[in-house]
Amino acid sequence: MEAIATSLDITPSQPLSTACHGPCDVPSRKVAIPFEANVLGLRENGQTLVIVTVDWFYASPGLRERILCRCAGRLDEAGLVVAASHTHTSPNPDRTKIGFSKVDPEY
């Protein structure tokens, strides 16, 4: 079995409104703990599995679509798991979530 893992800092570069706590359109004031995306890739016998976790309040279907698009021909839907890790507040990455903060297209 082949395995590879990495961690990426996905902390916004500017204050953004957060999904979850308090008023929806009030930008964050500071970063207490940086947000991460963690990726684990496994390959065996021609089969690939990629697991992505993000420090978000929930996983965005849009993120899954972007990953599959960027990995077209190398990764299929069954080989990708995208999940949110535990956090109490994060920027909103999904326009379909109603009642949360606005989505910043730059994030």
Side-chain angles (χ1 to χ4, degrees):
M1 177 179 286
E2 297 174 73
I4 189 168
T6 192
S7 183
L8 306 162
D9 183 343
I10 59 169
T11 306
S13 60
Q14 62 187 14
L16 295 178
S17 299
T18 57
C20 189
H21 289 298
C24 290
D25 292 321
V26 176
S28 59
R29 292 186 306 269
K30 64 179 181 175
V31 174
I33 300 171
F35 294 115
E36 287 183 348
N38 296 293
V39 183
L40 173 64
L42 303 170
R43 184 179 302 156
E44 185 173 52
N45 299 325
Q47 301 242 334
T48 301
L49 174 65
V50 175
I51 302 169
V52 178
T53 63
V54 289
D55 289 340
W56 286 346
F57 187 56
Y58 47 81
S60 164
L63 175 61
R64 181 179 171 77
E65 292 168 13
R66 286 191 303 272
I67 293 169
L68 288 170
C69 184
R70 291 189 92 161
C71 296
R74 296 174 289 164
L75 183 64
D76 60 25
E77 288 191 40
L80 177 62
V81 176
V82 178
S85 61
H86 181 85
T87 188
H88 288 260
T89 187
S90 71
N92 182 4
D94 186 353
R95 286 179 174 73
T96 66
K97 300 291 188 259
I98 298 171
F100 292 103
S101 60
K102 295 178 184 174
V103 172
D104 183 324
E106 298 298 315
Y107 180 68

